[in-house]
Amino acid sequence: EAQVTQNPRYLITVTGKKLTVTCSQNMNHEYMSWYRQDPGLGLRQIYYSMNVEVTDKGDVPEGYKVSRKEKRNFPLILESPSPNQTSLYFCASSPGQGFYEQYFGPGTRLTVT
Amino acid sequence: GQSLEQPSEVTAVEGAIVQINCTYQTSGFYGLSWYQQHDGGAPTFLSYNALDGLEETGRFSSFLSRSDSYGYLLLQELQMKDSASYFCAVMDTGFQKLVFGTGTRLLVSP
């Protein structure tokens, strides 16, 4: 089954404790992206990657890191999480740059206390 | 940059027809997409309009008017399962990302 997977689905952590949210897709998509979703603000892009070893900042990159060492994986790293990073995070992929249909993972609900 | 405006909430009854509007301001335009998101779920793609006019996919249709910078999603024969949030989205001018509206929450009542 074609899908985007994320882990963990739920995470409660404390300020400053490094964490990684994994994202993997099995559709051989070149383009991958991370979004955060907050009430009243919609979906905002954090980082995106157009291919292996090619990543760039989205609209809200502060406090986040990403890497793209393999085509299928695009982990999101919070080196020192803060409470304002409490949010719902989605990973998405699409066949290529500029493709209007994106496939979203199930989401990761992160709470930072 | 891009900005998209949608109503925050729309209510309707089962079996009715509802229209969710989206107006956009963009420095370049390459088409309007619509996504559906149920509570607790992920956004899923519904439709895409690159050109003016109506695109129909079953009970859902999407319309675009490029001259008016306006589009809408039309849902017919509403069902309870259509209760969800609906987002319009445009591609940014660098083809690097989708920019989403803040979403319209649709509540369908019996």
Side-chain angles (χ1 to χ4, degrees):
Chain A
E1 180 191 354
Q3 60 182 351
V4 179
T5 57
Q6 293 178 229
N7 281 293
R9 295 288 314 278
Y10 303 90
L11 180 59
I12 301 174
T13 189
V14 297
T15 299
K17 185 176 181 182
K18 181 179 179 179
L19 66 93
T20 299
V21 183
T22 64
C23 172
S24 184
Q25 50 93 5
N26 63 0
M27 295 169 279
N28 201 35
H29 285 171
E30 289 190 349
Y31 179 93
M32 297 186 74
S33 181
W34 275 103
Y35 296 88
R36 62 177 288 173
Q37 186 174 33
D38 302 288
L41 296 177
L43 286 150
R44 296 179 293 166
Q45 190 185 54
I46 304 170
Y47 269 94
Y48 65 93
S49 170
M50 290 189 281
N51 214 324
V52 175
E53 302 291 1
V54 181
T55 63
D56 209 344
K57 297 176 181 179
D59 295 318
V60 288
E62 294 76 23
Y64 305 94
K65 287 177 59 177
V66 293
S67 68
R68 186 96 181 270
K69 293 183 169 54
E70 304 166 285
K71 198 172 188 178
R72 63 183 295 126
N73 296 324
F74 190 44
L76 179 69
I77 303 156
L78 286 73
E79 298 237 336
S80 184
S82 61
N84 64 12
Q85 293 179 297
T86 292
S87 187
L88 179 59
Y89 292 87
F90 289 101
C91 180
S93 73
S94 69
Q97 184 181 3
F99 205 76
Y100 53 84
E101 180 175 359
Q102 295 196 5
Y103 299 78
F104 284 80
T108 295
R109 187 166 292 281
L110 172 65
T111 302
V112 183
T113 60
Chain B
Q2 281 85 1
S3 68
L4 301 99
E5 286 192 17
Q6 304 177 236
S8 58
E9 189 172 288
V10 173
T11 59
V13 296
E14 266 189 308
I17 300 173
V18 73
Q19 179 174 310
I20 298 174
N21 299 321
C22 174
T23 56
Y24 58 86
Q25 289 186 318
T26 64
S27 50
F29 182 75
Y30 306 98
L32 186 70
S33 303
W34 288 93
Y35 285 77
Q36 178 192 59
Q37 184 181 26
H38 287 100
D39 282 348
T44 56
F45 173 79
L46 288 177
S47 68
Y48 173 71
N49 294 71
L51 303 173
D52 287 359
L54 194 67
E55 295 281 343
E56 297 181 66
T57 309
R59 293 188 298 113
F60 294 3
S61 303
S62 57
F63 172 83
L64 177 65
S65 169
R66 296 167 70 115
S67 59
D68 295 322
S69 297
Y70 164 75
Y72 65 72
L73 182 68
L74 190 73
L75 296 83
Q76 304 182 70
E77 300 172 19
L78 280 173
Q79 302 174 9
M80 297 294 291
K81 67 178 182 180
D82 297 328
S83 291
S85 292
Y86 293 85
F87 295 87
C88 56
V90 295
M91 184 63 63
D92 79 319
T93 52
F95 295 101
Q96 294 162 345
K97 63 183 180 187
L98 277 175
V99 177
F100 287 84
T102 52
T104 299
R105 187 171 179 84
L106 171 63
L107 301 171
V108 181
S109 57

